[in-house]
């Protein structure tokens, strides 16, 4: 089982050909959603005090899809995106096998979609151009309809050829290997996905509260409704309780965790 709910310790195919990859099992949770419109998407401003936000994720992880579809999209409301430099890194818990081949946690189709999304980011470099496509694909993942991902081209009025050429030429694979290096070089190392980093600091299981961290990190003068509302809400609630959110762990971490639990059970039984 590759996707688990875990509380962090207090210390802390489509028509395109797929890569050579191994195929672990895929576990999804059932979700329902109503996608918003991107008609109101606004372009980036030039504010030098923008906050850096990086999402390290994998395309078929249900928790990553949930975060993109129901949380990250909020950046495009109330002009929050104007104070944020958003970067998406579709690699997650994938592994390099050697000879520049790799396997993905949720199987070959995840490798395909990770690479397609990497190509979309390259072909459509502005975030307000590539995010709608990635949102569309991830919304289909969210509905367990990810095999229909190519319908996103028609829905968004996009020419499929540049992204298809990027994938089929092997350049998408090169992009993924670059994302692999970036993900593997993270300090501290990523422990699971989605892994959200604000101004270089990982948010761990508080990733769904990323907007509050953005508002705290922002040093500019722009007044944003979302930040004002968060401040007032925090004042009224007096801080509230800490929440823990579901994440998708690397397979070896799950195995180690289960092994530790079994050892504890054996020790308890021997007493």
């Amino acid at each position: 089982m590759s996707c688990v709910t875990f509380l962090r310790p207090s210390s802390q195919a489509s028509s395109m050909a797929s890569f050579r990859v191994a195929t672990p099992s895929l576990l999804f949770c059932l979700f329902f959603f109503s996608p918003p419109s991107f008609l109101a998407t606004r372009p980036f401003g030039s504010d030098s005090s923008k906050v850096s936000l990086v999402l390290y994720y994998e395309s078929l992880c249900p928790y990553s899809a949930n975060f993109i579809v129901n949380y990250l999209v909020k950046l495009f409301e109330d002009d929050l995106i104007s104070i944020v430099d958003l970067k998406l890194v579709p690699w997650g818990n994938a592994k390099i096998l050697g000879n520049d081949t790799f396997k993905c946690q949720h199987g070959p189709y995840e490798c395909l979609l990770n690479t397609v999304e990497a190509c979309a980011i390259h072909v459509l470099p502005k975030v307000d151009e590539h995010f709608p496509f990635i949102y569309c694909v991830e919304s289909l993942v969210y509905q367990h309809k990810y095999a229909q991902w190519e319908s996103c081209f028609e829905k968004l009025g996009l020419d499929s050829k540049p992204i298809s050429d990027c994938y089929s030429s092997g350049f998408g694979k090169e992009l993924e290997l670059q994302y692999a290096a970036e993900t593997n070089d993270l300090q501290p190392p990523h422990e699971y996905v989605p892994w959200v980093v604000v101004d270089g600091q990982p948010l761990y299981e508080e990733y769904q509260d990323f907007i509050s961290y953005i508002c705290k990190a922002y040093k500019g003068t722009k007044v944003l409704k979302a930040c004002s509302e968060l401040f007032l809400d925090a004042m009224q609630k007096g801080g509230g309780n800490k929440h823990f959110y579901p994440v998708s762990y690397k397979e070896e971490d799950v195995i180690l965790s289960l092994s530790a639990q079994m050892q504890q059970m054996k020790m308890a039984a021997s007493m």
Side-chain angles (χ1 to χ4, degrees):
M1 184 178 297
S2 56
C3 295
V4 297
T5 301
F6 186 85
L7 301 187
R8 181 171 174 264
S10 59
S11 61
Q12 23 157 41
S14 156
S15 58
M16 300 179 182
S18 61
F19 289 119
R20 281 195 292 129
V21 288
T23 312
S25 61
L26 174 64
L27 174 67
F28 278 127
C29 302
L30 183 60
F31 295 111
F32 300 91
F33 87 114
S34 178
S37 169
F38 282 91
L39 294 177
T41 298
R42 301 173 188 175
F44 275 136
S46 58
D47 190 345
S48 61
S49 60
K50 283 184 179 181
V51 179
S52 168
L53 173 64
V54 187
L55 170 62
Y56 297 87
Y57 73 104
E58 54 196 19
S59 58
L60 289 188
C61 172
Y63 309 130
S64 293
N66 176 51
F67 179 68
I68 291 170
V69 171
N70 292 316
Y71 293 88
L72 195 60
V73 69
K74 294 177 183 178
L75 284 178
F76 296 85
E77 303 169 2
D78 286 333
D79 205 26
L80 270 173
I81 193 63
S82 68
I83 68 165
V84 174
D85 276 324
L86 173 63
K87 182 177 182 180
L88 304 175
V89 182
W91 174 259
N93 296 330
K95 293 180 180 178
I96 303 292
L97 298 178
N99 297 321
D100 291 338
T101 61
F102 48 85
K103 75 170 185 177
C104 297
Q105 179 156 284
H106 297 94
Y109 221 113
E110 181 165 76
C111 285
L112 185 153
L113 290 183
N114 283 353
T115 309
V116 165
E117 293 185 11
C119 284
I121 293 167
H122 175 77
V123 171
L124 306 167
K126 293 183 179 180
V127 72
D128 58 345
E129 295 176 341
H130 63 248
F131 185 81
F133 178 80
I134 290 173
Y135 174 92
C136 180
V137 173
E138 292 303 312
S139 69
L140 292 171
V141 173
Y142 192 75
Q143 300 175 82
H144 303 186
K145 297 178 181 179
Y146 56 87
Q148 301 174 23
W149 68 270
E150 289 176 288
S151 66
C152 290
F153 292 119
E154 182 178 356
K155 290 176 182 176
L156 296 170
L158 294 175
D159 180 4
S160 64
K161 190 175 188 303
I163 293 176
S164 176
D165 288 348
C166 170
Y167 183 100
S168 59
S169 69
F171 184 67
K173 182 179 179 181
E174 294 180 24
L175 293 173
E176 275 294 274
L177 292 171
Q178 292 173 24
Y179 283 145
E182 179 179 346
T183 303
N184 293 334
D185 286 344
L186 278 170
Q187 292 298 328
H190 90 287
E191 299 175 17
Y192 40 73
V193 292
W195 188 254
V196 181
V197 179
V198 173
D199 273 359
Q201 299 300 313
L203 303 189
Y204 296 96
E205 277 92 352
E206 294 184 346
Y207 66 88
Q208 290 184 357
D209 294 328
F210 72 101
I211 291 177
S212 66
Y213 285 89
I214 289 171
C215 292
K216 291 174 186 175
Y218 179 57
K219 305 303 180 185
T221 58
K222 194 167 187 176
V223 178
L224 294 170
K225 181 181 177 183
C227 293
S228 300
E229 288 177 347
L230 278 174
F231 176 76
L232 291 174
D233 187 55
M235 291 285 287
Q236 292 172 356
K237 292 182 178 178
N241 297 321
K242 184 175 180 180
H243 298 286
F244 294 93
Y245 300 107
V247 295
S248 182
Y249 272 77
K250 291 176 280 187
E251 289 172 290
E252 59 267 30
D253 291 342
V254 177
I255 293 170
L256 288 172
S257 177
L258 289 173
S259 177
Q261 291 179 36
M262 291 178 67
Q263 288 297 325
Q264 291 175 0
M265 290 173 64
K266 288 180 180 178
M267 290 177 63
S270 64
M271 290 180 175

